[in-house]
Amino acid sequence: AQKVTQAQTEISVVEKEDVTLDCVYETRDTTYYLFWYKQPPSGELVFLIRRNSFDEQNEISGRYSWNFQKSTSSFNFTITASQVVDSAVYFCALSPRDSGAGSYQLTFGKGTKLSVIP
Amino acid sequence: DTGVSQDPRHKITKRGQNVTFRCDPISEHNRLYWYRQTLGQGPEFLTYFQNEAQLEKSRLLSDRFSAERPKGSFSTLEIQRTEQGDSAMYLCASSLADVNIQYFGAGTRLSVL
């Protein structure tokens, strides 16, 4: 069984502060993918990143960075110099990588609601 | 660049009525997924198609739910004899078979009165 835990339900920060969103996962698969999605108030889930379980290198994209640590089963997401437009619910998700005829369905955490205050 | 399209965006119905939702995936995507999201929760997997074949169904998908993808393009999700517990956001996603990145539509929000 797969499980994703996002312990932070809600976070509020003042604009320009850095913020880290935590994600811990459980899986019996030896190969898997990890994802982050953003869900703004409009409701559409926006893909941010996919990480292969083989690749533990941290990744940076503009103000976003991701820290994948297989030893602690964590895949944390940091926003640097937060902006009001970053306000949204952020979801961490997990899927099998090699699923044969399987579906590669995503298992989501409950999400972290981020509010960036001007 | 056309993303995943879902119709309608909102649906209000009375308990016991049937409802049908439509999803148009990104045109070249051969995989299509349905998820359900309730308030304060992450999306939960319902079912999956590869081309026109429905390959997996969640235990969440009761007998009142049926999904089709007749020509391997658009998909429909029908709920028969709706119950108040069916009230949720129904999300559709699509992906390419060799690139497991799912792109989501804006969802259909169902309210059962």
Side-chain angles (χ1 to χ4, degrees):
Chain A
Q2 301 195 324
K3 185 178 179 182
V4 175
T5 301
Q6 295 180 254
Q8 304 149 309
T9 306
E10 293 192 40
I11 300 176
S12 290
V13 298
V14 176
E15 201 171 19
K16 297 185 183 177
E17 287 184 344
D18 299 346
V19 59
T20 295
L21 309 181
D22 297 334
C23 172
V24 174
Y25 63 92
E26 297 174 31
T27 180
R28 292 179 183 158
D29 294 324
T30 53
T31 58
Y32 49 90
Y33 287 121
L34 293 162
F35 300 80
W36 277 93
Y37 283 86
K38 174 182 180 180
Q39 189 173 43
S42 61
E44 183 168 346
L45 279 160
V46 177
F47 166 77
L48 295 178
I49 189 171
R50 181 188 69 176
R51 172 62 67 201
N52 190 322
S53 58
F54 287 123
D55 183 2
E56 289 194 65
Q57 279 192 334
N58 291 333
E59 183 159 342
I60 298 174
S61 176
R63 296 185 296 107
Y64 295 170
S65 62
W66 291 269
N67 183 339
F68 174 35
Q69 293 196 338
K70 209 167 180 178
S71 60
T72 56
S73 297
S74 66
F75 185 44
N76 296 337
F77 174 28
T78 298
I79 302 174
T80 302
S82 60
Q83 299 176 2
V84 172
V85 294
D86 296 327
S87 297
V89 180
Y90 290 86
F91 290 97
C92 181
L94 171 68
S95 82
R97 181 178 182 274
D98 299 309
S99 186
S103 72
Y104 302 95
Q105 60 178 272
L106 294 169
T107 299
F108 286 86
K110 292 187 176 183
T112 298
K113 182 178 181 180
L114 174 65
S115 298
V116 181
I117 303 164
Chain B
D1 184 20
T2 304
V4 178
S5 177
Q6 291 189 246
D7 182 69
R9 291 294 310 278
H10 299 93
K11 179 70 176 178
I12 300 173
T13 191
K14 293 183 180 179
R15 190 176 52 184
Q17 297 295 304
N18 299 343
V19 294
T20 300
F21 311 141
R22 177 179 170 124
C23 171
D24 287 272
I26 294 171
S27 59
E28 66 269 25
H29 285 186
N30 51 359
R31 289 185 177 165
L32 187 147
Y33 298 79
W34 285 97
Y35 292 82
R36 182 172 69 186
Q37 185 180 19
T38 54
L39 200 61
Q41 303 294 316
E44 294 175 293
F45 170 76
L46 291 178
T47 190
Y48 151 72
F49 291 85
Q50 178 143 331
N51 301 312
E52 67 277 7
Q54 188 174 18
L55 296 183
E56 190 166 343
K57 292 193 285 188
S58 162
R59 286 171 293 181
L60 292 176
L61 211 66
S62 77
D63 292 344
R64 297 183 297 105
F65 287 68
S66 62
E68 293 183 345
R69 195 182 182 197
K71 295 182 180 179
S73 56
F74 74 92
S75 175
T76 57
L77 178 67
E78 180 183 15
I79 308 175
Q80 295 182 329
R81 305 180 303 282
T82 52
E83 301 173 356
Q84 286 185 329
D86 297 331
S87 296
M89 175 78 86
Y90 290 85
L91 294 164
C92 176
S94 69
S95 72
L96 284 168
D98 55 349
V99 181
N100 185 29
I101 297 174
Q102 294 178 33
Y103 295 93
F104 284 80
T108 294
R109 183 170 294 284
L110 173 66
S111 298
V112 182
L113 305 179

